[in-house]
mmCIF file of all heavy atoms in Angstrom:
data_model
loop_
_atom_site.group_PDB
_atom_site.id
_atom_site.type_symbol
_atom_site.label_atom_id
_atom_site.label_comp_id
_atom_site.label_asym_id
_atom_site.label_seq_id
_atom_site.Cartn_x
_atom_site.Cartn_y
_atom_site.Cartn_z
ATOM 1 N N LEU A 9 -15.243 6.465 -5.250
ATOM 2 C CA LEU A 9 -14.644 5.770 -4.103
ATOM 3 C C LEU A 9 -13.702 4.693 -4.611
ATOM 4 O O LEU A 9 -14.099 3.812 -5.420
ATOM 5 C CB LEU A 9 -15.713 5.120 -3.229
ATOM 6 C CG LEU A 9 -15.157 4.343 -2.029
ATOM 7 C CD1 LEU A 9 -14.473 5.281 -1.034
ATOM 8 C CD2 LEU A 9 -16.237 3.512 -1.341
ATOM 9 N N GLN A 10 -12.455 4.739 -4.191
ATOM 10 C CA GLN A 10 -11.481 3.667 -4.410
ATOM 11 C C GLN A 10 -11.511 2.715 -3.211
ATOM 12 O O GLN A 10 -11.473 3.185 -2.043
ATOM 13 C CB GLN A 10 -10.068 4.229 -4.598
ATOM 14 C CG GLN A 10 -9.892 5.299 -5.658
ATOM 15 C CD GLN A 10 -9.942 4.726 -7.047
ATOM 16 O OE1 GLN A 10 -9.678 3.550 -7.285
ATOM 17 N NE2 GLN A 10 -10.247 5.603 -8.047
ATOM 18 N N GLY A 65 -9.647 -9.746 7.751
ATOM 19 C CA GLY A 65 -9.596 -11.009 8.488
ATOM 20 C C GLY A 65 -10.727 -11.947 8.124
ATOM 21 O O GLY A 65 -11.612 -11.651 7.309
ATOM 22 N N ILE A 70 -18.401 -9.070 8.510
ATOM 23 C CA ILE A 70 -19.302 -8.462 9.460
ATOM 24 C C ILE A 70 -19.327 -6.937 9.322
ATOM 25 O O ILE A 70 -20.234 -6.288 9.794
ATOM 26 C CB ILE A 70 -18.978 -8.853 10.908
ATOM 27 C CG1 ILE A 70 -17.627 -8.321 11.345
ATOM 28 C CG2 ILE A 70 -19.058 -10.366 11.113
ATOM 29 C CD1 ILE A 70 -17.307 -8.541 12.843
ATOM 30 N N GLY A 187 27.224 1.737 0.330
ATOM 31 C CA GLY A 187 28.496 1.174 0.773
ATOM 32 C C GLY A 187 29.001 0.054 -0.147
ATOM 33 O O GLY A 187 29.638 -0.901 0.333
ATOM 34 N N LEU A 196 20.018 -6.776 -8.286
ATOM 35 C CA LEU A 196 18.942 -6.277 -7.407
ATOM 36 C C LEU A 196 17.702 -7.068 -7.660
ATOM 37 O O LEU A 196 17.243 -7.248 -8.802
ATOM 38 C CB LEU A 196 18.664 -4.772 -7.706
ATOM 39 C CG LEU A 196 17.414 -4.172 -7.049
ATOM 40 C CD1 LEU A 196 17.570 -4.104 -5.541
ATOM 41 C CD2 LEU A 196 17.111 -2.774 -7.612
ATOM 42 N N PRO A 198 13.985 -6.570 -6.465
ATOM 43 C CA PRO A 198 13.002 -5.743 -5.740
ATOM 44 C C PRO A 198 11.644 -6.444 -5.679
ATOM 45 O O PRO A 198 10.799 -6.259 -6.558
ATOM 46 C CB PRO A 198 12.952 -4.477 -6.587
ATOM 47 C CG PRO A 198 13.340 -4.906 -7.990
ATOM 48 C CD PRO A 198 14.003 -6.240 -7.892
ATOM 49 N N LEU A 211 18.125 -17.687 -4.851
ATOM 50 C CA LEU A 211 19.311 -17.923 -4.015
ATOM 51 C C LEU A 211 20.136 -19.078 -4.569
ATOM 52 O O LEU A 211 21.390 -19.049 -4.578
ATOM 53 C CB LEU A 211 18.867 -18.209 -2.567
ATOM 54 C CG LEU A 211 18.343 -17.009 -1.783
ATOM 55 C CD1 LEU A 211 17.779 -17.451 -0.450
ATOM 56 C CD2 LEU A 211 19.421 -15.968 -1.550
ATOM 57 N N LEU A 221 31.602 -15.482 -10.399
ATOM 58 C CA LEU A 221 31.889 -14.067 -9.967
ATOM 59 C C LEU A 221 31.878 -14.040 -8.463
ATOM 60 O O LEU A 221 30.832 -13.775 -7.856
ATOM 61 C CB LEU A 221 30.819 -13.127 -10.592
ATOM 62 C CG LEU A 221 30.845 -13.025 -12.113
ATOM 63 C CD1 LEU A 221 29.531 -12.441 -12.612
ATOM 64 C CD2 LEU A 221 32.001 -12.119 -12.518
ATOM 65 N N ARG A 257 22.257 -9.061 0.794
ATOM 66 C CA ARG A 257 21.833 -8.028 1.754
ATOM 67 C C ARG A 257 20.308 -7.941 1.678
ATOM 68 O O ARG A 257 19.727 -7.712 0.623
ATOM 69 C CB ARG A 257 22.479 -6.694 1.396
ATOM 70 C CG ARG A 257 23.981 -6.683 1.586
ATOM 71 C CD ARG A 257 24.588 -5.402 1.128
ATOM 72 N NE ARG A 257 24.091 -4.245 1.869
ATOM 73 C CZ ARG A 257 24.488 -2.976 1.665
ATOM 74 N NH1 ARG A 257 25.418 -2.763 0.706
ATOM 75 N NH2 ARG A 257 23.999 -2.006 2.344
ATOM 76 N N ALA A 271 22.143 1.791 -8.650
ATOM 77 C CA ALA A 271 23.297 1.136 -8.082
ATOM 78 C C ALA A 271 23.503 -0.261 -8.668
ATOM 79 O O ALA A 271 24.632 -0.784 -8.621
ATOM 80 C CB ALA A 271 23.147 1.021 -6.571
ATOM 81 N N ASP A 280 6.886 -16.971 -9.901
ATOM 82 C CA ASP A 280 6.090 -18.033 -10.543
ATOM 83 C C ASP A 280 4.960 -17.448 -11.341
ATOM 84 O O ASP A 280 4.445 -18.099 -12.275
ATOM 85 C CB ASP A 280 5.492 -18.940 -9.462
ATOM 86 C CG ASP A 280 6.451 -20.055 -9.070
ATOM 87 O OD1 ASP A 280 7.455 -20.280 -9.785
ATOM 88 O OD2 ASP A 280 6.206 -20.728 -8.040
ATOM 89 N N VAL A 288 9.806 -4.630 -13.185
ATOM 90 C CA VAL A 288 10.421 -4.801 -14.494
ATOM 91 C C VAL A 288 10.335 -3.519 -15.298
ATOM 92 O O VAL A 288 11.301 -3.088 -15.985
ATOM 93 C CB VAL A 288 9.754 -5.952 -15.234
ATOM 94 C CG1 VAL A 288 10.357 -6.146 -16.643
ATOM 95 C CG2 VAL A 288 9.887 -7.260 -14.450
ATOM 96 N N ALA A 300 14.414 -12.266 -16.026
ATOM 97 C CA ALA A 300 13.143 -12.570 -15.373
ATOM 98 C C ALA A 300 12.506 -13.855 -15.911
ATOM 99 O O ALA A 300 12.819 -14.247 -17.067
ATOM 100 C CB ALA A 300 12.140 -11.430 -15.564
ATOM 101 N N VAL A 334 25.166 -11.741 -18.459
ATOM 102 C CA VAL A 334 24.938 -10.279 -18.585
ATOM 103 C C VAL A 334 25.893 -9.513 -17.669
ATOM 104 O O VAL A 334 26.273 -8.374 -17.998
ATOM 105 C CB VAL A 334 23.430 -9.941 -18.315
ATOM 106 C CG1 VAL A 334 23.118 -9.922 -16.821
ATOM 107 C CG2 VAL A 334 23.081 -8.642 -18.946
ATOM 108 N N ALA A 363 -5.550 9.018 -18.661
ATOM 109 C CA ALA A 363 -6.596 9.445 -19.612
ATOM 110 C C ALA A 363 -7.518 8.278 -19.919
ATOM 111 O O ALA A 363 -8.743 8.435 -20.026
ATOM 112 C CB ALA A 363 -5.963 10.006 -20.870
#
Side-chain angles (χ1 to χ4, degrees):
L9 178 66
Q10 305 285 339
I70 66 173
L196 171 66
L211 289 172
L221 294 162
R257 294 176 60 180
D280 274 346
V288 177
V334 79

